[in-house]
């Protein structure tokens, strides 16, 4: 590992936190790529003039975030960076690709179903009427990141399973001439059900991020209702907050 690491002993910021922040930045910016070894704790401590417990605490904080993993007989290894998704009208596929995460998709359901009351209200269609339902598992570097359930109005576009596994839903919509304009979105959190835990490689009851989104085209028509769950160790949402004038 050849990183320009340093600590400022005059700073009120704890030394372990300074080190963990620099290592996290190196992972996020690609200086430490998935699979690379972090190095020996003793050597890193000696190089920076830190105690071994300080270095261990810095590394453990990144292990807890899911960015590093300790492997017996191998050492401390970079798993991957956490995807930080800006709150804008973009698809998870595009966000993962932009972050260098090599997205992959498994389509589990691709069918037509009767609209539930919730789906009907979101899409502006009659309850019990036909809507298209797709369920996908989105992966990055071979690990599950999110479970995506989307409902679309009937006849909106041809949802081919092979295409859904090759690219993102929003790209397919744009290719079909649909102009995405705005969305109404809510974000929450809850414990994983047994089925969700199995899909996302988490423990039952583990915290999951949730997101519901209704997307509208440039005519004001609702074109998609999404109900998604994310692994918080692999994914987060970023907000930009402005002060009212």
């Amino acid at each position: 590992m050849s990183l320009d690491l340093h600590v400022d002993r005059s700073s009120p910021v704890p030394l372990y936190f300074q080190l963990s922040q620099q290592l996290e930045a190196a992972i996020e910016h690609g200086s430490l790529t998935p699979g690379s070894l972090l190095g020996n704790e003793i050597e890193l401590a000696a190089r920076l003039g830190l105690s071994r417990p300080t270095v261990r605490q810095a590394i453990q904080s990144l292990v807890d975030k899911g960015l590093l993993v300790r492997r017996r007989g191998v050492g401390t290894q970079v798993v991957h960076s956490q995807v930080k998704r800006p709150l804008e009208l973009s698809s998870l596929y595009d966000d993962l690709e932009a972050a260098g995460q090599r997205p992959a998709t498994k389509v589990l359901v691709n069918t037509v179903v009767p609209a539930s009351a919730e789906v009907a209200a979101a899409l502006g269609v009659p309850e019990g009427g036909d809507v298209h339902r797709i369920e996908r598992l989105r992966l990055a570097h071979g690990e599950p990141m999110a479970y995506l359930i989307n409902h679309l109005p009937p006849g909106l576009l041809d949802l081919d399973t092979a295409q859904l596994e090759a690219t993102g839903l929003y790209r397919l919509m744009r290719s079909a001439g649909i102009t995405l304009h705005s969305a109404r979105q809510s974000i929450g959190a809850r414990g994983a059900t047994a089925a969700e835990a199995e899909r996302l490689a988490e423990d039952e009851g583990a915290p999951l991020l949730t997101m519901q989104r209704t997307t509208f085209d440039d005519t004001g028509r609702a074109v998609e209702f999404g109900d998604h769950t994310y692994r918080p160790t692999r994914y987060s949402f970023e907000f930009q907050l402005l002060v009212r004038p």
Side-chain angles (χ1 to χ4, degrees), residues 118-125 131 151-157 170 173 178-184 213-226:
E118 181 182 37
V119 170
L123 294 179
V125 299
V131 291
H151 289 89
L152 289 80
L156 184 71
L157 75 161
Y170 282 4
M173 286 185 174
I178 299 168
T179 302
L180 304 178
H181 179 264
S182 62
R184 184 171 58 246
R213 173 189 284 180
T214 304
T215 306
F216 303 90
D217 67 7
D218 56 349
T219 69
R221 173 183 56 165
V223 294
E224 173 241 354
F225 175 62

Side-chain angles (χ1 to χ4, degrees), residues 87 237-244:
L87 283 184
F237 292 95
E238 282 194 337
F239 298 78
Q240 182 178 17
L241 305 178
L242 302 175
V243 176
R244 288 184 180 273

Side-chain angles (χ1 to χ4, degrees), residues 171-197:
R171 288 189 186 180
L172 292 177
M173 286 185 174
R174 293 186 179 102
S175 297
I178 299 168
T179 302
L180 304 178
H181 179 264
S182 62
R184 184 171 58 246
Q185 178 170 288
S186 62
I187 296 170
R190 58 173 171 76
T193 65
E196 289 169 337

Side-chain angles (χ1 to χ4, degrees), residues 32 43 65-66 71 76 88 99 138 146-147 152 164 181 195 231 237 242:
L32 282 173
E43 294 173 356
K65 286 185 175 183
R71 302 191 189 279
T76 305
E88 58 187 37
R138 183 62 44 79
Y147 190 74
L152 289 80
L164 286 168
H181 179 264
R231 301 176 71 185
F237 292 95
L242 302 175

